[in-house]
Amino acid sequence: MGCQNMTGFVDLYSEGGTFLHRIDARVKIVAVLFLSVLAFLLSNVYSLTLLLAFIFILLFLARASLSRTWFALRFVIRFMVLIVVLWPIFDPSGTPVWATFGPVKITEPAVWRGVTSAVRVGCLACVWYILMFTTSQRDLVRALVKMGLRFDFGLALAISLRFLPTFSATIDSIKDAERARGMELDKGSLLKRSRNYVAILVPTIVSALRSADTLSLALHSRAYGARADRTYLREPKMRRQDAAALSVVIALLVVPVFFKFVLGVPL
Amino acid sequence: MIPCPTADEGPIAAMRNVDFSYDDGTEALHSVTLDVWRGEHIALVGGNGSGKTTIAKLLNGLLRPSRGHVLVKGNDAAKESVAALSRTVGYAFQNPDHQLFCSTVAEEVLFGPKNLGFADAKAVEKADRALSLMSIGHLKDKAPLSLSLGDRRRVSVASVIAMDPEVLVLDEPSTGLDAGEAAELMRALDGLNQEGKTIILITHEMRLVAEHSERVLVMAHGHVVLDCRTRVAFSEPEALHESGLIPPAAIQLAHRLSDFGVSPEVLTVDELAEEVAKVWGARI
């Protein structure tokens, strides 16, 4: 079946009590943005590796198990390998030249540039993974709304995230229903196979539209949109440790920027 | 129709010590063994999550057992594709919206027989028969998805009947039908049963079970906890209660009246009326 447990794929969040879980989601969002900017600013493979090591320590502190992280990032890791392999093939600049295969020239600086980019991609993926791993979708949306996202946009986001697993379960069920009527999805000519997917697509779209329609009625019947402003049961509050974490995050960005752009250290 | 297993013909479908767990680790079935004989009218009942749908999906190969064997017509189902098994075991899904996609009801009902490779004339014949059995012949040119829930359900059942399988598994087919429509559906199924088709009805409606099925399989927590004649199953309501099932009102009333000489072994309102008339008729 393979797709039975899509929730693990869609929702990376894992409940936990580490300080990374408890920290205000707004601080985490700012931290992730800052660390992403930092990953783009750093162009030296050593400093990027240092950043990656720092992010790995954070992963460790969030108690993300190795197998779960591998599962969540398996596509990113393939992508990183691809970058390292392809970069030198398409970038012939610089010396010394390590090897020549016909028109393809493999140079040392190009290999390093490939590695640097791969590490950068790794940093970005891991840092966003920490956010998704330690923050529930509910907290994430609430933080975004608190940071100025319009409430209805936030609700739309929350609903789409909430319905992803439901949606994939519906698709599985539809596939089963058509198979039970003797359809063989991957048999026949290309035309026949693409026609087969119509049998999956139509009920999927129809049931998505039907549930969207029902959902909007359910929202309205619970007085959604009755008032423009809205009160909240739980207001996220910045605590002392959140403020401390935020200042660490700011320092993490400002110090390297100072060293790189003011003092001219080649970071 | 009373099944009469003969020496040369084994069960049309069977499960042997079948365990099943879903990918997320949910253990849905524990060591289920059962035989389904040609021509039986079986009700598969039990609380939500007790494993009814899992059994249905194992019988037509949509799910494969984690341990044990599923046999269809004596052959190991593990070696056959879902398409091949659907020739013998037809399965009408709980939610009709999960299988309707054609632009007319006629095309929808033709989809299954065509997949099975029936010649055009034969396929049309089977589809027409299914449409008339479900009394939806007049909806032939309508778009299935624009119909009412009751009609959509009848189209989805018709689309499985049209494939002419020997075993028909129907997952809660009466949901969303009004009393009249449900009675009509059950009459059609009884008719197919008379012709020798095996019916496996998954339902929560004990009245339908009491009035139509001759054998009851009660599921609880992935086990078959009761497998017997319907009359026997309802004569011991305690066992049903444990599985969260409540007998229909006529049977409950018969049990309350058993101290007054009414036989508790009735199944339908008609039988109860007869029994009451027999006991009190003499006195009045």
Side-chain angles (χ1 to χ4, degrees):
Chain A
M1 294 310 298
C3 304
Q4 221 103 48
N5 191 17
M6 285 292 281
T7 35
F9 175 69
V10 173
D11 190 358
L12 299 172
Y13 176 62
S14 152
E15 246 168 80
T18 71
F19 90 98
L20 280 164
H21 281 83
R22 280 181 283 117
I23 247 174
D24 191 304
R26 287 170 293 178
V27 173
K28 281 191 268 189
I29 293 171
V30 171
V32 165
L33 288 174
F34 276 22
L35 288 174
S36 303
V37 170
L38 189 60
F40 278 109
L41 287 180
L42 299 177
S43 48
N44 179 315
V45 71
Y46 299 111
S47 43
L48 270 167
T49 310
L50 203 65
L51 180 64
L52 189 62
F54 171 71
I55 294 167
F56 273 162
I57 293 171
L58 288 182
L59 268 173
F60 177 72
L61 290 176
R63 290 182 202 279
S65 75
L66 213 56
S67 61
R68 242 192 107 115
T69 310
W70 174 258
F71 178 77
L73 300 179
R74 64 199 188 287
F75 294 115
V76 177
I77 291 162
R78 278 183 220 165
F79 189 52
M80 285 168 68
V81 172
L82 213 63
I83 293 174
V84 173
V85 172
L86 291 183
W87 196 291
I89 296 178
F90 289 99
D91 179 4
S93 63
T95 47
V97 178
W98 277 0
T100 319
F101 305 100
V104 178
K105 212 163 62 170
I106 306 294
T107 71
E108 187 185 328
V111 169
W112 281 114
R113 273 194 290 273
V115 171
T116 310
S117 302
V119 174
R120 183 177 290 141
V121 167
C123 284
L124 290 170
C126 286
V127 88
W128 284 91
Y129 174 62
I130 295 176
L131 176 67
M132 304 310 281
F133 182 80
T134 60
T135 319
S136 71
Q137 292 175 356
R138 196 191 54 193
D139 285 344
L140 204 59
V141 171
R142 195 183 286 140
L144 286 172
V145 170
K146 207 66 194 164
M147 288 166 91
L149 183 73
R150 268 177 55 181
F151 167 71
D152 37 1
F153 286 24
L155 184 73
L157 179 64
I159 288 174
S160 4
L161 290 173
R162 143 83 184 77
F163 271 92
L164 278 176
T166 315
F167 203 54
S168 79
T170 308
I171 293 177
D172 284 346
S173 184
I174 288 168
K175 271 191 192 162
D176 279 355
E178 306 302 5
R179 290 199 313 145
R181 292 207 287 164
M183 188 180 76
E184 291 175 303
L185 259 182
D186 296 314
K187 264 203 174 161
S189 65
L190 190 66
L191 184 72
K192 178 145 189 346
R193 265 181 287 164
S194 46
R195 275 187 65 89
N196 284 344
Y197 277 92
V198 174
I200 310 284
L201 214 63
V202 172
T204 305
I205 293 168
V206 167
S207 85
L209 289 177
R210 277 218 166 96
S211 61
D213 201 36
T214 313
L215 187 68
S216 80
L217 289 177
L219 283 174
H220 283 297
S221 68
R222 286 195 277 168
Y224 173 72
R227 287 164 60 100
D229 57 333
R230 210 170 168 280
T231 55
Y232 292 87
L233 184 60
R234 294 210 318 191
E235 292 276 351
K237 272 211 185 71
M238 285 281 267
R239 292 157 304 169
R240 195 172 298 161
Q241 57 263 50
D242 296 323
L246 187 61
S247 33
V248 171
V249 166
I250 293 171
L252 267 177
L253 183 63
V254 169
V255 171
V257 164
F258 181 77
F259 272 90
K260 181 168 175 152
F261 294 103
V262 181
L263 301 183
V265 182
L267 286 175
Chain B
M1 202 174 137
I2 303 296
C4 38
T6 52
D8 53 292
E9 192 194 27
I12 188 154
M15 296 173 84
R16 297 279 174 263
N17 301 312
V18 169
D19 284 357
F20 184 81
S21 306
Y22 285 96
D23 284 353
D24 62 359
T26 319
E27 293 178 19
L29 293 185
H30 304 276
S31 188
V32 170
T33 293
L34 57 89
D35 287 321
V36 175
W37 300 93
R38 190 184 291 276
E40 278 194 297
H41 199 312
I42 302 176
L44 187 53
V45 299
N48 285 326
S50 59
K52 305 185 297 289
T53 299
T54 306
I55 286 195
K57 289 188 175 176
L58 280 162
L59 287 178
N60 69 354
L62 285 171
L63 297 177
R64 304 293 180 170
S66 317
R67 205 174 62 85
H69 296 280
V70 175
L71 304 167
V72 174
K73 284 182 144 180
N75 301 319
D76 195 339
K79 295 183 189 112
E80 315 235 11
S81 68
V82 178
L85 289 169
S86 67
R87 220 174 269 281
T88 309
V89 183
Y91 177 43
F93 270 63
Q94 231 171 63
N95 187 344
D97 295 344
H98 284 172
Q99 63 172 56
L100 305 179
F101 68 96
C102 296
S103 47
T104 67
V105 169
E107 278 177 51
E108 192 69 63
V109 177
L110 265 172
F111 179 73
K114 279 193 170 167
N115 279 333
L116 295 186
F118 286 111
D120 279 2
K122 192 83 186 150
V124 169
E125 184 195 312
K126 287 187 188 294
D128 280 347
R129 192 172 132 69
L131 286 170
S132 74
L133 264 170
M134 286 293 107
S135 345
I136 46 172
H138 59 289
L139 300 175
K140 236 175 151 173
D141 301 320
K142 291 257 164 58
L145 286 161
S146 68
L147 301 173
S148 70
L149 178 60
D151 285 338
R152 294 207 297 278
R153 186 170 297 284
R154 289 196 283 181
V155 173
S156 81
V157 173
S159 68
V160 177
I161 291 177
M163 292 162 68
D164 205 12
E166 285 155 276
V167 182
L168 261 172
V169 187
L170 300 118
D171 209 338
E172 300 186 25
S174 58
T175 315
L177 300 186
D178 63 32
E181 290 169 335
E184 208 179 322
L185 172 75
M186 291 310 298
R187 259 201 305 279
L189 295 181
D190 289 351
L192 287 166
N193 183 232
Q194 297 286 318
E195 292 172 14
K197 302 272 184 223
T198 310
I199 307 284
I200 300 179
L201 180 71
I202 298 177
T203 185
H204 287 298
E205 285 188 58
M206 291 303 122
R207 203 177 47 79
L208 297 183
V209 175
E211 290 176 3
H212 298 274
S213 304
E214 60 207 13
R215 176 179 164 200
V216 178
L217 283 169
V218 181
M219 300 289 302
H221 312 294
H223 295 275
V224 177
V225 292
L226 198 60
D227 176 1
C228 59
R229 308 269 99 197
T230 308
R231 209 174 282 279
V232 179
F234 283 122
S235 68
E236 288 173 38
E238 292 78 22
L240 293 181
H241 268 293
E242 277 169 30
S243 316
L245 303 172
I246 298 170
I251 296 176
Q252 289 185 49
L253 187 58
H255 275 271
R256 300 265 185 96
L257 293 176
S258 61
D259 292 345
F260 300 97
V262 172
S263 161
E265 289 203 354
V266 305
L267 283 177
T268 63
V269 176
D270 288 343
E271 285 181 21
L272 176 64
E274 232 172 78
E275 191 65 24
V276 169
K278 206 163 64 191
V279 173
W280 279 296
R283 291 187 211 166
I284 297 166

